[in-house]
Amino acid sequence: MPILDHFGLLAPYYDRIFKPKNKDDWQTLLQLPSEGALLDLGGGTGRVSQHLCDQVLKSVLVDPSADMLSQASKKVCLDRARAAAESLPFHDDAFEHIIMVDALHHVENQSQTLMEMW
């Protein structure tokens, strides 16, 4: 039996349903602006990182859902990559900041994901 792709179904409506936290709160938490790059891991449509693009050198969104990344492509300031959180296609120390908002519980291996982020 096929598994329901709920992120694929939600993708067109995601930004209207789930609103990001205040941009100023993120800037304070991440100590922005910054000369470094930001990784939004499991960032879906880029609902958070789209608001931080002007505060970092580069903003990269990684998500395993092609439909979510398709929605994110409408946000021109985000570079996008389709990948699993447990095996990221980047060199060590490629990012000064990494955020993962409401996504850790969705990954298959949380320990591996945290090690990959570290």
Side-chain angles (χ1 to χ4, degrees):
M1 175 183 278
I3 297 174
L4 176 67
D5 178 12
H6 65 284
F7 284 112
L9 295 172
L10 279 174
Y13 314 103
Y14 198 83
D15 288 352
R16 286 182 268 176
I17 297 169
F18 300 101
K19 301 293 182 191
K21 190 175 180 180
N22 184 316
K23 177 182 177 177
D24 294 335
D25 292 340
W26 283 109
Q27 289 174 320
T28 300
L29 181 65
L30 296 170
Q31 299 177 353
L32 299 177
S34 170
E35 296 289 322
L38 169 75
L39 173 64
D40 185 356
L41 185 55
T45 63
R47 70 182 175 97
V48 174
S49 54
Q50 70 175 329
H51 301 292
L52 303 174
C53 290
D54 63 342
Q55 299 293 307
V56 293
L57 178 66
K58 176 170 79 168
S59 188
V60 179
L61 171 69
V62 172
D63 200 274
S65 170
D67 292 319
M68 293 295 251
L69 290 173
S70 177
Q71 293 298 313
S73 71
K74 299 172 185 175
K75 298 159 180 131
V76 296
C77 69
L78 298 172
D79 290 340
R80 295 163 313 282
R82 186 174 183 197
E86 296 89 347
S87 181
L88 297 174
F90 306 109
H91 298 294
D92 290 349
D93 299 323
F95 299 95
E96 185 172 338
H97 304 282
I98 300 173
I99 60 173
M100 185 177 222
V101 182
D102 300 326
L104 187 60
H105 61 285
H106 292 291
V107 301
E108 287 186 35
N109 187 325
Q110 293 175 344
S111 297
Q112 181 61 36
T113 295
L114 293 172
M115 290 299 297
E116 191 69 9
M117 291 169 72
W118 184 256

